[in-house]
Amino acid sequence: MTGTTYPELAAAQACLRLLHTARAALSEPVAPGAALLLAGPIAEADEALRKAGLAGNEAALLDRVYDLSPLPAPRAERLR
């Protein structure tokens, strides 16, 4: 990781958990009350973003998210 602090890492991880929870909760067929499952992960992500100073700074947040895993290989390299 390139200069990612612990609070930034925690915020990126919380946002990824929210993304995965949203995908699972809102996938077809959507169960009644599925959106209620997002309340906890949303609150966790909001708090982590605030603590990391990333609230409202999507560009910096995405940089931290990308630090969590390597970028996919360019298409030409995947075809080899």
Side-chain angles (χ1 to χ4, degrees):
M1 283 182 256
T2 52
T4 301
T5 66
Y6 177 78
E8 292 171 338
L9 176 62
Q13 289 172 330
C15 288
L16 286 175
R17 281 191 293 278
L18 172 58
L19 173 65
H20 295 298
T21 302
R23 282 182 179 163
L26 302 175
S27 63
E28 295 295 328
V30 177
L36 293 175
L37 297 173
L38 300 176
I42 289 171
E44 177 194 14
D46 284 345
E47 179 66 11
L49 289 168
R50 186 191 62 72
K51 285 181 178 179
L54 295 173
N57 190 345
E58 289 82 7
L61 170 63
L62 289 176
D63 285 342
R64 302 298 73 85
V65 170
Y66 292 140
D67 280 348
L68 292 176
S69 62
L71 295 174
R75 183 166 169 67
E77 289 180 21
R78 286 183 278 159
L79 295 177
R80 292 183 193 168

